[in-house]
Amino acid sequence: MSQDVPVHVTDLLILVVVSVVGGFLLAAWTLPPALAFDFAVSVLAGTVFLAFFLFIPVMGVRLFIEERREDERSG
């Protein structure tokens, strides 16, 4: 059983927002927030880490919501 999972722009925007905010929070947890190169690199590393690991859960939530909407329309 093969299903294609289309990626919508809203999915990517949600992923980017969650990753950037989460990356900032991870960086602030490990380093004191400051306008410094180390803090910026830490934010970037946290953002990439979260984007990598949250892509599948974000797509799963979107598919779950889409499936519920289809069920409500047909039922």
Side-chain angles (χ1 to χ4, degrees):
M1 179 180 342
S2 171
Q3 273 188 331
D4 291 336
V5 179
V7 178
H8 299 287
V9 175
T10 54
D11 300 334
L12 295 178
L13 290 176
I14 291 170
L15 181 65
V16 166
V17 169
V18 169
S19 296
V20 169
V21 170
F24 183 82
L25 291 174
L26 282 173
W29 185 36
T30 57
L31 295 172
L35 289 175
F37 181 73
D38 292 340
F39 186 72
V41 169
S42 184
V43 169
L44 180 64
T47 300
V48 170
F49 175 79
L50 287 174
F52 180 76
F53 285 108
L54 290 179
F55 179 75
I56 292 175
V58 166
M59 293 301 295
V61 167
R62 201 248 317 150
L63 286 174
F64 177 74
I65 291 170
E66 194 172 281
E67 189 173 299
R68 286 193 59 159
R69 286 182 185 160
E70 286 179 8
D71 289 344
E72 289 174 0
R73 287 182 195 146
S74 65

